């Protein structure tokens, strides 16, 4: 019997495999969007995926001093494109969402549409690109509170193993985020395994010490074809 994506993600006794993509450019026609979705689903048909990830791409000013390897271009709303993917494939998506890009009411409006209009139930929450910047939007705890009002929805967050190398407290951050109700964490793309191995070991040890169940950590692997892109990442 098939189970929903949220149920699969929250069942830690089984693995979950997801295939990720970004939405088409903002302003693409419905026909063009369906064609992008169709080609993507066709390419991934031989993979044993439980669903997809649709990323929310932001300009992220201040995240890194490195120049962009390509100009930023606005893409379609990830929750909308997730609904197109579901129509084409029958599979659900985890939708990434940067929570700080609009004010609190703007985010609430987005969430209402994502849930009620587009039928998205799995979210991956992303905060601001830099703690040095001030943002008008809600905080991760604010959004967690909104999603707790939607009992059929679930949410996770990101984890950055390189941050653990620099600060040494990413495992503690994961524990704090799980206390907000996050059910899983999705890593950034892994190109050096050692930082992630250390993070997972430290997170497991912390959970054992605190006598809490670790949350699912989904590891991300992606090709990178340009040196400039790798430096920006």
């Amino acid at each position: 019997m098939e189970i929903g994506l949220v149920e699969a993600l929250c069942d830690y006794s089984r693995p979950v495999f997801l295939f990720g993509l970004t939405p088409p450019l903002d302003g693409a026609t419905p026909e063009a969007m369906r064609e992008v979705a169709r080609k993507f689903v066709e390419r991934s048909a031989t993979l044993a995926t439980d669903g997809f990830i649709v990323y929310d791409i932001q300009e992220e000013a201040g995240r890194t001093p490195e120049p962009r390897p390509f100009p930023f271009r606005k893409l379609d709303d990830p929750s909308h494109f997730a609904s197109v993917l579901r129509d084409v494939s029958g599979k659900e998506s985890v939708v990434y969402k940067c929570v700080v890009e609009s004010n609190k009411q703007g985010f609430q409006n987005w969430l209402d549409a994502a849930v009620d209009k587009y039928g998205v139930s799995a979210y991956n929450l992303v905060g601001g690109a830099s703690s040095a910047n001030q943002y008008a939007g809600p905080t991760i705890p604010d959004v967690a509170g909104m999603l707790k009002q939607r009992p059929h929805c679930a949410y996770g967050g990101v984890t950055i193993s390189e941050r653990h190398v620099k600060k040494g407290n990413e495992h503690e951050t994961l524990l704090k985020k799980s206390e907000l109700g996050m059910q899983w964490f999705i890593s950034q793309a892994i190109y050096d395994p050692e930082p992630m191995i250390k993070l997972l070991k430290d997170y497991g040890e912390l959970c054992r010490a605190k006598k809490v169940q670790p949350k699912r950590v989904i590891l991300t692997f992606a090709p990178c074809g340009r040196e400039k892109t790798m430096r920006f990442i």
Side-chain angles (χ1 to χ4, degrees), residues 92-163:
E92 298 173 274
S93 298
V94 176
V95 167
Y96 264 63
K97 184 59 180 176
C98 179
V99 305
V100 300
E101 63 186 19
S102 62
N103 60 34
K104 193 169 184 178
Q105 186 57 55
F107 183 88
Q108 183 68 68
N109 294 341
W110 177 87
L111 182 61
D112 290 343
V115 175
D116 300 328
K117 183 177 181 181
Y118 299 129
V120 175
S121 57
Y123 297 86
N124 222 57
L125 307 180
V126 183
S130 171
S131 59
N133 295 344
Q134 289 188 329
Y135 299 97
T139 64
I140 295 287
D142 289 335
V143 174
M146 295 178 192
L147 280 164
K148 285 176 182 176
Q149 306 304 312
R150 303 278 191 162
H152 66 288
C153 292
Y155 52 96
V158 299
T159 184
I160 303 173
S161 58
E162 289 76 11
R163 193 161 57 193

Side-chain angles (χ1 to χ4, degrees), residues 19-22 24 32-54 81-93:
F19 197 27
L21 79 165
T22 58
M33 287 196 184
R34 286 189 66 85
E35 182 62 11
V36 170
R38 185 193 66 77
K39 288 181 178 179
F40 179 80
V41 170
E42 191 174 84
R43 286 196 301 271
S44 64
T46 57
L47 302 176
T49 58
D50 295 280
F52 305 114
I53 297 175
V54 183
F81 189 60
S83 71
V84 177
L85 268 178
R86 187 182 62 245
D87 290 345
V88 171
S89 68
K91 292 184 178 182
E92 298 173 274
S93 298

